Amino acid sequence: MNETEYWDLIHTERARLADLLSTLEPEQWALATLCADWTVEQVVAHLSVAANTGRWAWIRSIVRAGFDPAKHNARLLERSLGGSPEETLAKFHSSISLTIAPTKDFPAFLGEVIVHGQDIARPLELDLIPDAEATVEVARYFASKDFAVNSKTLVKGVRLSAVDADFESGSGPQVAGRLLDLVMAMAGRPEALADLTGSGVAELRRRMD
């Protein structure tokens, strides 16, 4: 898959998430997500940051944060939080079609949109189904490389098997389930383990703990 094709998928998933966000009630923007201590609005602001941060801006920020990812993310996050959920959503809308990224790891940035979309949708019990091809690309990348999330390290020594897509990776105790749940597990979301089966699930839970 070439760069243009990746950007098409990223833009599609951003737009898909924006459509879901436009249906939320004001109080839902303050609810917790699956992403650490961030609310829905904070996750959306983070995605706007990601869509607007190129290589040198990212380097300057991480250096100023003393190479502390938490401080780096917090500083950038404040820039994309609006005065209201409507303003935060407007900033995200304006970022949908951008083609800015700090590296050429396009599957990782596609994965960021898909995973954070689920971080928002699942606690709210809303359906957000990403493109099947995009999800396969992210799964293959997560299983092969640590970038942003330590996905490759997390699943080392287990065999991942999707029941709804052509994806299998690794060897060892099996972890089976829907591809999207495997992606969320590789992204370090323990909530996804409840929907996975196999003798390797207990090992993944132990590693996440």
Side-chain angles (χ1 to χ4, degrees):
M1 186 172 292
N2 62 39
E3 182 174 333
T4 298
E5 291 170 325
Y6 275 123
W7 279 119
D8 286 344
L9 291 176
I10 291 169
H11 295 158
T12 296
E13 296 309 320
R14 287 175 181 167
R16 192 189 313 278
L17 175 57
D19 287 344
L20 179 139
L21 295 170
S22 68
T23 70
L24 299 187
E25 298 295 333
E27 61 272 16
Q28 289 178 297
W29 284 80
L31 296 179
T33 68
L34 300 183
C35 188
D37 298 322
W38 283 355
T39 65
V40 170
E41 186 170 10
Q42 288 172 320
V43 172
V44 175
H46 171 73
L47 287 172
S48 294
V49 167
N52 284 271
T53 304
R55 179 183 179 186
W56 295 113
W58 187 92
I59 291 174
R60 284 194 299 271
S61 178
I62 196 69
V63 169
R64 288 172 181 170
F67 297 94
D68 183 331
K71 290 182 180 179
H72 161 77
N73 284 329
R75 178 187 292 110
L76 294 179
L77 183 70
E78 289 301 319
R79 298 179 185 175
S80 288
L81 275 172
S84 66
E86 291 80 9
E87 289 183 11
T88 300
L89 179 56
K91 290 185 178 184
F92 182 61
H93 266 291
S94 69
S95 304
I96 287 176
S97 62
L98 297 180
T99 55
I100 300 170
T103 73
K104 296 292 185 179
D105 294 274
F106 300 115
F109 304 125
L110 174 60
E112 184 171 41
V113 181
I114 289 177
V115 169
H116 282 321
Q118 296 302 304
D119 286 338
I120 292 169
R122 293 189 175 201
L124 297 179
E125 299 183 348
L126 298 174
D127 289 328
L128 183 66
I129 309 301
D131 177 81
E133 181 184 20
T135 309
V136 169
E137 289 292 324
V138 172
R140 290 173 177 164
Y141 183 86
F142 277 5
S144 65
K145 188 173 183 179
D146 288 335
F147 183 87
V149 292
N150 294 326
S151 48
K152 179 183 177 181
T153 299
L154 178 64
V155 300
K156 183 179 180 180
V158 299
R159 178 163 57 94
L160 306 176
S161 301
V163 299
D164 59 346
D166 182 17
F167 173 79
E168 187 160 315
S169 177
S171 60
Q174 186 181 50
V175 177
R178 295 186 309 154
L179 183 61
L180 187 55
D181 292 323
L182 293 175
V183 165
M184 293 300 289
M186 283 190 277
R189 301 321 193 249
E191 294 83 359
L193 299 178
D195 295 310
L196 300 174
T197 61
S199 58
V201 174
E203 174 60 18
L204 284 187
R205 182 173 285 109
R206 183 191 69 78
R207 295 177 186 181
M208 290 183 191
D209 289 343

